[in-house]
Amino acid sequence: MLNEFGYHVGQWDISRFRERPPQDSFTVFDLEWHLLPDVWPGNAIATKLFTSWLPYDEIDSFLEVGCGAGVTAIIAAMRGCSRVCALDINPAAAETARLNAMRHGVSDKVTALTSDLFSELDEDTTFDLIYWNSPFVEAPAGHDYRSQIDYAAFDSDYKVHGAFFAGLEQHMSKTTRVFLGFSETLGNPQRLQALAAESGFTASVYRKEEIALPADYAGPRASDGEGGGPTSFVYVLYEFRRTAPNA
């Protein structure tokens, strides 16, 4: 069943993004970052949490799907990963990631591509870790994607999530780890795990945190404005493993 509360919050957040003053930079992790139009700033709470939780020290190659401004991919390179690939369906996001890799001195390690999930990767290219901060707000069938930024928030009927799990195996070695950033408050975790199971993956919670709503939060509530509803958002970093690992 569609998470109506999450969908309404997603619409509110997108409206807030469209109404904000134009900006060409942002700050996160004590660093300044480039930002092109129609790209989500990489200083969102979810981005900061998931980026800080990933186990970079245990890997050498890193793939980020839906890289946005490239923050997580570039932090991976700065933390020692020698081969990093950042993918995004939004050409402006891929270009922003390239600019930020240059800005932070890791352009020799980071490749940024405009790609619909894995479409632009060479066949059978594998990585030690595959990560996606997914557009976890499930939108109904026929949702109107007004601009590229909508793809950073919404997934109509979770079709992209299903395609993600279906395409994973081709880019995994026997030891590849798969992580997905999500919100249990705003997304549909039951649907997510069902889609993963269809492609032979099971989820476990790697890290999880509950974040209180900011004092100036003016978005919708689960009770449709009657005074109740969540007082916080729950963010979770899932690790997905093959149900039956390859021999």
Side-chain angles (χ1 to χ4, degrees):
M1 182 180 295
L2 182 74
N3 182 341
E4 295 285 354
F5 171 66
Y7 184 53
H8 289 308
V9 171
Q11 291 175 306
W12 169 78
D13 212 17
I14 288 291
S15 295
R16 187 175 61 162
F17 173 86
R18 292 194 174 109
E19 293 167 0
R20 68 173 174 79
Q23 64 182 100
D24 58 10
S25 66
F26 63 93
T27 304
V28 70
F29 299 121
D30 296 323
L31 298 169
E32 292 294 318
W33 303 75
H34 295 294
L35 186 68
L36 295 180
D38 215 19
V39 178
W40 201 275
N43 56 359
I45 290 173
T47 301
K48 290 188 284 188
L49 288 176
F50 303 146
T51 302
S52 66
W53 291 347
L54 288 165
Y56 310 104
D57 297 342
E58 303 171 19
I59 61 169
D60 185 58
S61 57
F62 181 93
L63 172 64
E64 182 179 14
V65 178
C67 65
V71 169
T72 308
I74 289 160
I75 292 295
M78 295 173 73
R79 288 282 299 272
C81 295
S82 66
R83 179 168 63 91
V84 175
C85 188
L87 308 177
D88 204 291
I89 194 171
N90 181 356
E95 179 60 23
T96 302
R98 281 191 286 270
L99 291 172
N100 282 321
M102 294 176 59
R103 181 170 192 159
H104 296 298
V106 291
S107 57
D108 59 329
K109 298 179 180 180
V110 178
T111 300
L113 301 172
T114 302
S115 182
D116 185 356
L117 291 178
F118 310 107
S119 64
E120 297 305 308
L121 287 180
D122 290 338
E123 187 174 347
D124 300 325
T125 300
T126 63
F127 298 86
D128 297 331
L129 192 152
I130 298 173
Y131 164 71
W132 186 26
N133 179 0
S134 78
F136 44 70
V137 175
E138 182 183 14
H143 171 79
D144 180 20
Y145 289 88
R146 291 175 51 193
S147 67
Q148 287 286 354
I149 199 67
D150 287 66
Y151 291 96
F154 299 111
D155 182 7
S156 181
D157 201 29
Y158 270 20
K159 290 181 179 178
V160 181
H161 283 82
F164 172 79
F165 291 115
L168 270 175
E169 190 72 35
Q170 186 176 15
H171 301 290
M172 295 177 66
S173 70
K174 292 181 180 180
T175 59
T176 297
R177 301 180 71 179
V178 177
F179 291 87
L180 186 144
F182 201 76
S183 171
E184 292 181 343
T185 311
L186 304 177
N188 186 340
Q190 293 78 23
R191 176 68 172 146
L192 176 76
Q193 295 189 40
L195 288 169
E198 290 176 10
S199 292
F201 292 91
T202 56
S204 61
V205 174
Y206 184 77
R207 287 278 305 264
K208 185 176 183 177
E209 190 161 333
E210 187 172 358
I211 303 294
L213 297 181
D216 61 349
Y217 175 73
R221 305 272 178 170
S223 57
D224 294 326
E226 296 178 2
T231 58
S232 61
F233 294 151
V234 176
Y235 295 101
V236 58
L237 184 63
Y238 288 117
E239 182 168 9
F240 285 89
R241 294 183 173 87
R242 296 179 181 92
T243 304
N246 291 343

